[in-house]
């Protein structure tokens, strides 16, 4: 196998399931993706999020350039595991044309971003090299 972290379809042992307890999740990040044409919509969405959650989550910077493994402009929401259902439900119903990338934070950034991620809207290819 070329990459020790990628399963090899010809080797059935690479597909053995390992189960982790969700208690390893410290918190979650949601990254709202946008570009120059959707910048204003992303800002308006951010304002709606801030008004609705009013200090109950941590809002990150509004990056008008790709940052880390994220291939598009984005901003981050950090929220508690206990807020997952309500916040992700709201994002799923209200994201409009914006794409949202979610991942847990377990202490293994590469695995969290690559193997345990959830997408709302369209998915985008990340740059996992930024996490190694």
């Amino acid at each position: 196998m070329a990459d020790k972290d990628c399963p090899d379809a010809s080797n059935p042992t690479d597909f053995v399931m390992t189960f982790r307890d969700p208690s390893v999740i410290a918190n979650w990040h949601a990254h709202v993706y946008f570009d120059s044409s959707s910048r204003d919509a992303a800002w308006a969405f951010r304002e709606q999020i801030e008004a609705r959650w009013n200090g109950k989550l941590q809002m990150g910077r509004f990056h008008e350039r790709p940052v880390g493994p994220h291939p598009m402009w984005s901003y981050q929401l950090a929220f508690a595991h206990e807020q997952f259902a309500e916040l992700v439900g709201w994002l799923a119903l209200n994201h409009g044309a914006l794409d949202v990338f979610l991942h847990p934070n377990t202490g293994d950034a590469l695995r969290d971003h690559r193997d345990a991620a959830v997408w709302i809207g369209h998915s985008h290819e990340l740059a996992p090299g930024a996490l190694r």
Side-chain angles (χ1 to χ4, degrees), residues 1-124:
M1 178 171 11
D3 181 344
K4 68 176 181 66
D5 295 323
C6 293
D8 179 352
S10 66
N11 185 356
T13 62
D14 282 349
F15 291 97
V16 174
M17 296 292 293
T18 56
F19 296 96
R20 299 178 70 196
D21 191 304
S23 67
V24 303
I25 300 172
N27 63 9
W28 287 84
H29 285 170
H31 302 269
V32 177
Y33 283 7
F34 59 97
D35 59 20
S36 60
S37 66
S38 58
R39 183 201 181 283
D40 292 346
W43 188 262
F45 191 51
R46 178 186 176 95
E47 289 177 330
Q48 287 296 312
I49 293 166
E50 287 176 321
R52 180 169 176 87
W53 274 274
N54 194 21
K56 295 179 184 163
L57 54 79
Q58 193 173 37
M59 187 70 71
R61 292 187 194 132
F62 195 82
H63 294 286
E64 294 184 58
R65 62 181 176 83
V67 175
H70 305 288
M72 295 183 67
W73 301 0
S74 65
Y75 57 89
Q76 173 183 286
L77 316 172
F79 57 97
H81 188 62
E82 298 76 26
Q83 295 173 285
F84 184 88
E86 181 183 5
L87 180 61
V88 174
W90 190 89
L91 292 171
L93 295 176
N94 295 291
H95 69 95
L98 300 170
D99 300 323
V100 182
F101 171 72
L102 297 114
H103 66 83
N105 290 303
T106 67
D108 185 344
L110 179 61
R111 185 180 190 285
D112 294 346
H113 285 76
R114 186 192 61 204
D115 303 331
V118 178
W119 288 94
I120 297 172
H122 296 97
S123 63
H124 300 268

